[in-house]
């Protein structure tokens, strides 16, 4: 058993290896055939089972696909014991990932004879401790699920009401007036918001309950009643800065309405509007008192879309040093409405967050030319990526300069592995080689059309779906590190907007973001490949080759250079 970020199966008799990577609220299982060999032709996939802490029974993961001719209406037909997973890696969301103790995974290779009868080989098992917090009492990384456009959402909730009964899908200015009417709204919103929602709301609940704490908030978007209601309950213990750029500054915006509400509860002198050189783009909460010292930051806006529709992350930092850093930035923003003035404050350079055993720093924008970070980050990506680069950058499609150039340079290298997600199509990053890296996937172009047995998926309204801003470098090396925050890796984020950027050099954190990057890449890459023609062809599991020249399902994972690299890196 291990509470480490990666564990391996140790059965020497199993014909394959197993590595389990600990994510936050999820795990990535990576498998590979041993000895550099190919599987036998009759290998038809992996049966994957798991056992929760303290449980006696294993439960099989389900596969949406079945073999041709199987009764698709029979739930047992979708058990991976009867419908093996035809992939060499798989992301799993345990139902109760926060349970204390170890989850046990058992992965078994399945083989099929000419009569379509399955037999099973030697299994690999491994134990992994997930736990609620990434580093209990120090640092918690949390993600929103961000999968309104998913089969899981359709199966669980769409039959009980359309997505517009859960979240407003039109004008954001009406967010504070929206009331969900979905029949399973409580469960659905909890599922959609996942750990990012719970981390943010629980921190605010803690602040409301402890009358000795003070709270400082910086908000870019603010239209979520659950959040505004909690902020209102803080009364004069709250000080808040709300962006007033563009539509946010209009008198009928949700932000203007929220400011009016909070001015009434906290006092007008505790509420401020700001946009610096462009945007006040932070999404931060600082809770400080005799018994509480916590900060929430990340990419998650305090909105319906931010919590429930988009892919976002939140980081909760615990400790006096983290509070000092973010509180000092808050005071600097409060005192300086001009970008040039803020850039000269002591909060612009990197500051050590002093998290015990975790190398973590934070910097706040806007910067001066001497404290600007964009070029240095680009140089780190281009010059110091030795193994892999995984990123999820919401506005890479609109950004030119150091980061785009660095990502392009690393993507074109034969000896580096790159997967990426961007909000829209990214020009200039093109890979021609068959063993090269994949061009960035663009979730915003999805049509909702997927082939059977998949069902049509809702879009969740217009707007950005993938809102993350993170870069993971060399997750599998001692030098593993992650850049994350509200910072969009653009010149505006560096020199004009109010932003926060964290640099965390830690493998557990890097692996957590790696798993998130992979689950998003797989989810959107599959959907982005669909065309009107492909969406009519039913997907099924593949039996072993039965005719001359027919290839087994796994052949491309051993002959396609890019898939070979994928299989090896994560196993």
């Amino acid at each position: 058993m291990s509470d480490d970020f990666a564990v391996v199966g140790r059965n020497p008799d199993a014909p394959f290896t197993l590595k389990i990577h600990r994510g936050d609220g999820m795990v990535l299982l990576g498998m590979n055939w041993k000895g550099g060999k190919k599987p036998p032709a009759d290998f038809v996939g992996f049966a994957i089972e798991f056992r929760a802490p303290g449980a006696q029974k294993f439960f099989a993961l389900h596969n949406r696909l079945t073999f041709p001719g199987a009764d698709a209406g029979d739930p047992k037909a979708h058990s991976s014991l009867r419908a093996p997973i035809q992939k060499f890696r798989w992301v799993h969301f345990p139902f109760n990932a926060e349970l204390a103790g170890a989850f046990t995974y058992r992965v078994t290779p399945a083989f099929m004879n000419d009569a379509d009868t399955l037999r099973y080989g030697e299994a690999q098992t491994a134990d992994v401790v997930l736990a609620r917090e990434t580093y209990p009492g120090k640092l918690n990384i949390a993600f929103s699920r961000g999968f309104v456009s998913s089969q899981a959402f359709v199966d669980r909730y769409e039959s009980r009401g359309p997505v517009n009964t859960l979240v407003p899908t039109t004008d954001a200015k009406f967010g504070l007036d929206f009331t969900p009417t979905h029949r399973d709204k409580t469960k659905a919103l909890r599922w959609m918001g996942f750990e990012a929602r719970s981390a943010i709301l629980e921190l605010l609940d803690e602040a409301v309950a402890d009358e000795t704490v003070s709270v400082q908030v910086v908000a870019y978007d603010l239209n979520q009643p659950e959040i505004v209601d909690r902020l209102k309950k803080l009364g004069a213990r709250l000080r808040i800065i709300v962006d007033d750029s563009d539509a946010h500054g209009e008198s009928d915006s949700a932000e203007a309405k929220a400011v009016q509400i909070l001015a009434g509860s906290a006092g007008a002198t505790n509420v401020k509007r700001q946009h610096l050189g462009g945007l006040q783009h932070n999404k931060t909460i600082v809770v400080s008192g005799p018994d509480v010292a916590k900060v929430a930051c990340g990419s998650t806006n305090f909105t319906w879309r931010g919590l429930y529709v988009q892919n976002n992350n939140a980081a909760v930092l615990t400790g006096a040093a983290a509070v000092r850093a973010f509180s000092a930035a808050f005071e600097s923003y409060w005192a300086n409405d001009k970008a040039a003035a803020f850039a000269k404050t002591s909060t612009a350079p990197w500051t050590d967050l002093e998290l015990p055993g975790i190398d973590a720093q934070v910097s706040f924008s806007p910067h001066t030319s001497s404290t600007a970070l964009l070029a240095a980050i680009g140089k780190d990506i281009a010059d110091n990526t030795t193994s892999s680069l995984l990123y999820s950058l919401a506005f890479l499609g609109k950004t030119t300069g150091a980061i785009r150039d660095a990502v392009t340079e690393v993507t074109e290298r034969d000896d580096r592995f790159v997967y990426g997600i961007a909000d829209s199509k990214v020009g200039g990053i093109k890979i021609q080689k068959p063993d090269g890296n994949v061009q960035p996937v663009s979730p915003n172009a999805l049509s909702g059309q997927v082939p059977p047995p998949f069902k049509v998926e809702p879009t969740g309204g217009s707007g950005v779906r993938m809102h993350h801003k993170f870069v993971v470098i060399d997750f599998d090396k001692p030098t593993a590190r992650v850049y994350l925050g509200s910072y969009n890796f653009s010149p505006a984020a560096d020199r004009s907007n109010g932003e926060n950027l964290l640099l965390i050099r830690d493998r557990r954190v890097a692996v957590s973001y790696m798993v998130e990057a992979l689950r998003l890449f797989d989810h959107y890459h599959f959907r982005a490949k669909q065309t009107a023609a492909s969406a009519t062809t039913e997907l099924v599991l593949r039996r072993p080759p039965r005719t001359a020249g027919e290839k087994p399902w796994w052949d491309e994972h051993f002959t396609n250079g890019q898939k070979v690299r994928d299989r090896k890196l994560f196993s």
Side-chain angles (χ1 to χ4, degrees):
M1 184 175 75
S2 173
D3 62 355
D4 211 344
F5 49 81
V7 297
V8 298
R10 301 189 183 280
N11 182 0
D13 297 323
F16 68 100
T17 62
L18 169 67
K19 179 179 283 189
I20 302 176
H21 305 266
R22 178 204 177 276
D24 276 277
M26 62 192 105
V27 296
L28 169 68
L29 296 94
M31 290 76 72
N32 193 14
W33 221 251
K34 285 183 176 177
K37 301 178 181 178
K38 294 182 179 180
D42 62 349
F43 169 58
V44 289
F46 296 100
I48 303 177
E49 303 166 274
F50 80 102
R51 183 175 62 204
Q56 300 299 313
K57 184 180 179 181
F58 277 92
F59 289 90
L61 272 60
H62 280 206
N63 192 346
R64 192 166 298 274
L65 307 185
T66 60
F67 288 107
D71 180 3
D74 178 6
K76 293 182 179 179
H78 294 276
S79 164
S80 63
L81 290 167
R82 289 173 55 177
I85 305 295
Q86 292 187 339
K87 300 283 186 181
F88 281 90
R89 58 174 170 77
W90 196 257
V91 173
H92 178 232
F93 287 80
F95 179 68
N96 290 317
E98 73 279 3
L99 289 175
F103 285 79
T104 301
Y105 282 85
R106 182 168 63 195
V107 182
T108 309
F111 307 87
M112 179 178 278
N113 64 18
D114 289 341
D116 291 349
T117 302
L118 291 172
R119 67 176 178 85
Y120 302 94
E122 285 279 346
Q124 291 280 14
T125 61
D127 298 334
V128 60
V129 174
L130 296 182
R132 173 65 184 277
E133 293 186 84
T134 314
Y135 281 106
K138 302 176 186 178
L139 170 66
N140 188 31
I141 302 299
F143 300 102
S144 65
R145 197 177 298 268
F147 276 2
V148 169
S149 295
S150 73
Q151 297 298 293
F153 177 82
V154 172
D155 288 347
R156 290 170 180 261
Y157 302 115
E158 196 172 48
S159 65
R160 305 283 287 172
V163 69
N164 63 6
T165 64
L166 281 168
V167 297
T169 56
T170 54
D171 200 324
K173 71 172 62 177
F174 303 119
L176 291 177
D177 303 315
F178 179 82
T179 301
T181 58
H182 191 280
R183 285 178 286 176
D184 285 340
K185 57 181 178 291
T186 301
K187 290 182 179 179
L189 293 176
R190 185 184 302 121
W191 183 87
M192 294 158 72
F194 199 44
E195 291 193 334
R197 171 190 186 265
S198 60
I200 291 170
L201 294 186
E202 287 169 12
L203 178 58
L204 289 175
D205 285 338
E206 186 177 5
V208 170
D210 186 345
E211 295 185 356
T212 67
V213 306
S214 61
V215 179
Q216 298 166 317
V217 175
V218 186
Y220 175 62
D221 288 326
L222 184 59
N223 73 21
Q224 222 298 315
E226 292 171 291
I227 291 177
V228 173
D229 288 347
R230 285 164 170 80
L231 297 178
K232 182 179 177 181
K233 291 176 182 178
L234 292 169
R237 294 188 287 128
L238 171 71
R239 294 169 69 205
I240 183 169
I241 300 171
V242 181
D243 178 75
D244 63 355
S245 66
D246 302 324
H248 289 172
E250 297 175 3
S251 60
D252 63 344
S253 69
E255 289 68 31
K257 296 173 186 176
V259 163
Q260 186 176 10
I261 293 169
L262 298 176
S265 58
T269 58
N270 283 340
V271 180
K272 183 180 179 69
R273 305 300 301 273
Q274 185 179 72
H275 59 266
L276 298 161
L279 314 174
Q280 177 43 281
H281 196 243
N282 279 284
K283 314 96 172 42
T284 58
I285 302 170
V286 181
V287 179
S288 178
D291 302 314
V292 182
K294 293 183 179 180
V295 172
C297 58
S299 69
T300 309
N301 279 312
F302 307 141
T303 64
W304 289 100
R305 288 188 67 81
L307 289 177
Y308 298 121
V309 177
Q310 296 171 336
N311 301 118
N312 273 310
N313 66 90
V316 178
L317 321 171
T318 300
V323 165
R324 280 196 303 271
F326 278 80
S327 182
F330 179 91
E331 297 297 349
S332 294
Y333 286 127
W334 192 275
N336 298 282
D337 289 331
K338 300 297 184 183
F342 177 88
K344 296 176 183 177
T345 67
S346 61
T347 55
W350 286 115
T351 299
D352 190 349
L353 290 168
E354 300 179 34
L355 302 177
I358 307 168
D359 184 348
Q361 306 171 75
V362 66
S363 174
F364 297 91
S365 301
H367 296 116
T368 65
S369 58
S370 62
T371 59
L373 298 175
L374 202 62
I377 298 169
K379 184 174 177 58
D380 188 21
I381 293 171
D383 295 352
N384 302 321
T385 300
T386 62
S387 169
S388 63
L389 176 68
L390 297 109
Y391 61 86
S392 192
L393 297 173
F395 297 103
L396 185 64
K398 300 177 182 178
T399 301
T400 58
I403 302 304
R404 173 85 75 85
D405 292 346
V407 169
T408 302
E409 181 178 337
V410 177
T411 304
E412 291 176 346
R413 295 188 60 172
D414 293 334
D415 56 350
R416 304 293 184 270
F417 185 93
V418 183
Y419 276 169
I421 303 280
D423 69 308
S424 58
K425 186 175 181 180
V426 180
I429 301 180
K430 298 184 182 299
I431 299 301
Q432 316 289 326
K433 297 169 289 187
D435 61 345
N437 296 306
V438 180
Q439 296 178 41
V441 178
S442 304
N444 283 0
L446 304 186
S447 65
Q449 295 294 324
V450 286
F454 292 77
K455 304 168 188 175
V456 174
E457 299 170 348
T459 62
S462 61
V464 171
R465 300 186 194 186
M466 194 290 297
H467 193 252
H468 281 307
K469 306 97 168 42
F470 70 77
V471 175
V472 186
I473 301 173
D474 293 349
F475 78 91
D476 57 334
K477 303 293 183 184
T479 54
R481 56 207 180 276
V482 184
Y483 291 96
L484 65 123
S486 69
Y487 184 92
N488 272 316
F489 297 88
S490 67
D494 207 31
R495 302 291 298 275
S496 180
N497 299 341
E499 308 275 6
N500 67 84
L501 176 67
L502 277 67
L503 170 57
I504 303 179
R505 300 178 182 275
D506 181 270
R507 281 196 69 188
R508 176 182 281 260
V509 174
V511 166
S512 180
Y513 275 92
M514 174 275 288
V515 175
E516 171 72 356
L518 271 191
R519 70 118 179 173
L520 295 184
F521 184 89
D522 289 347
H523 183 85
Y524 290 122
H525 188 239
F526 166 73
R527 285 154 178 80
K529 291 191 301 182
Q530 303 308 318
T531 64
S534 68
T536 63
T537 304
E538 184 168 7
L539 297 179
V540 293
L541 295 178
R542 292 174 59 182
R543 296 187 178 99
R546 301 283 170 81
T547 60
E550 187 180 357
K551 302 290 186 182
W553 73 268
W554 47 259
D555 182 71
E556 63 182 352
H557 295 273
F558 288 80
T559 56
N560 178 297
Q562 182 267 328
K563 292 190 175 184
V564 170
R565 296 164 67 198
D566 183 306
R567 173 173 53 83
K568 292 179 178 179
L569 181 62
F570 301 106
S571 64

